[in-house]
Amino acid sequence: MSSTEAKKLDATTTAQAADSAVAASEAPTGAQEAVLVVSESMPDGAVTVEGYDFNEGVDYHKLLQSFLRTGFQATNFGRAVEEINRMRKWRLSDEPIKPDEDEDLIDPAVRAGIKTKIFFGYTSNLISSGTRETIRYLAEHKMVDVIVTTAGGVEEDLIKCLAPTYLGDFKLDGVSLRKKGINRIGNLLVPNDNYVLFEDWMKPRLDAMLEEQKRDGVVWTPSKMIHRLGKEINDPRSVYYWAYKNNIPVFSPALTDGSIGDMIYFHSFNNPGLILDIAGDIRRINDEAANHKGRTGMLVLGGGVVKHHIHNANLMRNGADYAVVVSVAQEFDGSDAGASPDEAKSWGKIRSDAEPVKVVAEASLIFPLLVAETFAQKDEEKAGDEGAPATAAQ
């Protein structure tokens, strides 16, 4: 290489180095524009994210209140608290009198006494768990107006009055438990002897129901049967004892899908003829919604028949005014259990102007906390009832 060529090569190398230095000091324009997008101003009243500060000590009420601004399902929990409190607070007296209002709804005292009718549904696993005591509290103090549950949601409550359920483990071997006569519900254990006791308790009640059907022409529906069993159990630990005492109707359209169905099956061999009329109950629960003069609210734990039965009853009035659903079911498979409240609006089961809430969480963890922030707030309850004794019976 000549000295001239060497000088040209050095000059080129120097120029490339200079270009590289410039490039290293300035980020690509496109990258800057992509990353550093200028934000619009947040709207007035936008809520900032902030959690609970434990430097203030342990205050569970304030902790649960802080969930509303925490984000994710904590925020949905906070919204559910607000929705339940709205449904509990509302009275017909909050609304202006319509020009075509029924004459019996014009008196201010009458209007102040008509409140939201709350439809409350839950699946059987919650009665098997300690959530039963939270549910019983609501029935005991007549804080809900209509209950819908499954067969297990009825029988497990009654069985617990005869013998206890025990804590176990999700990983216990099913075959080994079967050999020992122990049934597993998640991480709960129920000795099979409990169901033997239940059969002994049920048999004379079924005999009596059949006798009344033959002698007096009683038409038994699932709700009438549950009412009778709540009376017969006569135990204040029972949800259905309090439903009987407070005259809260309990609907279970699949009442035969469980141990009660087993008992009815065995009874049909020994003393046949008992009839359960589900048509009577569909008329009754739909009338509970359609004929109510005030608003209606739905509080549903889980999915399946309990969720849809409540939703469908509220279709008869073009949708519920309030709704809270607690469930881990997702909507990707098109199931009703996982369907969002917005899907229910498309069917007319929740009103279009409602602000329903779904909390995606396990109910045994979440529901007692919801009750703590709503139904169990005695001072708020008294304030909401101020002025007149409230009723949802209309």
Side-chain angles (χ1 to χ4, degrees), residues 23-72:
S25 65
E26 296 180 6
T29 302
Q32 287 184 318
E33 292 176 350
V35 174
L36 303 177
V37 174
V38 177
S39 301
E40 292 185 1
S41 297
M42 294 296 291
D44 293 340
V47 178
T48 58
V49 173
E50 185 177 354
Y52 184 74
D53 184 357
F54 280 98
N55 286 313
E56 298 180 5
V58 179
D59 184 323
Y60 292 108
H61 179 54
K62 288 184 177 179
L63 171 63
L64 294 175
Q65 286 184 318
S66 76
F67 281 13
L68 186 62
R69 293 178 60 184
T70 297
F72 309 134

Side-chain angles (χ1 to χ4, degrees), residues 224-366:
K224 285 183 181 178
M225 182 177 183
I226 296 165
H227 186 78
R228 167 63 70 84
L229 296 178
K231 176 183 178 181
E232 292 285 333
I233 199 66
N234 194 29
D235 189 327
R237 295 175 297 172
S238 167
V239 174
Y240 305 107
Y241 166 81
W242 288 109
Y244 157 74
K245 292 280 286 186
N246 290 324
N247 202 29
I248 301 171
V250 181
F251 297 95
S252 185
L255 187 60
T256 56
D257 185 32
S259 185
I260 289 176
D262 298 343
M263 302 305 112
I264 293 173
Y265 171 70
F266 295 137
H267 187 264
S268 71
F269 291 97
N270 301 319
N271 193 2
L274 181 65
I275 297 172
L276 278 181
D277 174 23
I278 61 171
D281 264 3
I282 194 62
R283 169 66 183 267
R284 187 181 179 192
I285 190 172
N286 286 353
D287 282 352
E288 288 282 353
N291 297 336
H292 183 51
K293 302 299 183 181
R295 293 184 177 184
T296 62
M298 305 188 297
L299 176 54
V300 181
L301 311 178
V305 68
V306 302
K307 181 186 177 188
H308 187 261
H309 211 52
I310 288 174
H311 279 65
N312 202 68
N314 278 273
L315 171 61
M316 303 302 148
R317 55 182 290 112
N318 198 32
D321 300 275
Y322 308 98
V324 170
V325 176
V326 179
S327 175
V328 294
Q330 301 295 305
E331 63 179 334
F332 64 85
D333 61 357
S335 66
D336 179 75
S340 69
D342 190 66
E343 182 176 312
K345 285 187 176 184
S346 78
W347 290 86
K349 296 170 184 177
I350 297 176
R351 290 186 181 273
S352 58
D353 59 351
E355 299 179 13
V357 183
K358 179 179 178 180
V359 185
V360 182
E362 200 271 299
S364 71
L365 178 63
I366 291 300

Side-chain angles (χ1 to χ4, degrees), residues 88-89 91 112 115 379-390:
R88 296 185 65 231
K89 183 179 179 182
R91 299 292 183 270
K115 65 175 185 175
D379 292 339
E380 290 183 12
E381 180 184 338
K382 290 176 182 176
D385 289 341
E386 209 168 73

Side-chain angles (χ1 to χ4, degrees), residues 190-254:
V190 186
N192 210 58
D193 285 350
N194 291 19
Y195 297 97
V196 176
L197 290 172
F198 186 54
E199 182 182 15
D200 293 340
W201 186 84
M202 280 290 294
K203 186 177 182 303
R205 274 85 189 169
L206 294 174
D207 287 339
M209 288 172 58
L210 179 57
E211 176 61 25
E212 291 173 37
Q213 175 186 300
K214 292 178 177 179
R215 184 188 67 223
D216 305 324
V218 175
V219 178
W220 291 102
T221 62
S223 65
K224 285 183 181 178
M225 182 177 183
I226 296 165
H227 186 78
R228 167 63 70 84
L229 296 178
K231 176 183 178 181
E232 292 285 333
I233 199 66
N234 194 29
D235 189 327
R237 295 175 297 172
S238 167
V239 174
Y240 305 107
Y241 166 81
W242 288 109
Y244 157 74
K245 292 280 286 186
N246 290 324
N247 202 29
I248 301 171
V250 181
F251 297 95
S252 185

Side-chain angles (χ1 to χ4, degrees), residues 111-130:
R111 296 177 70 80
I114 297 177
K115 65 175 185 175
T116 302
K117 178 173 283 188
I118 299 177
F119 289 74
F120 178 39
Y122 48 86
T123 48
S124 67
N125 55 323
L126 298 176
I127 290 292
S128 299
S129 74

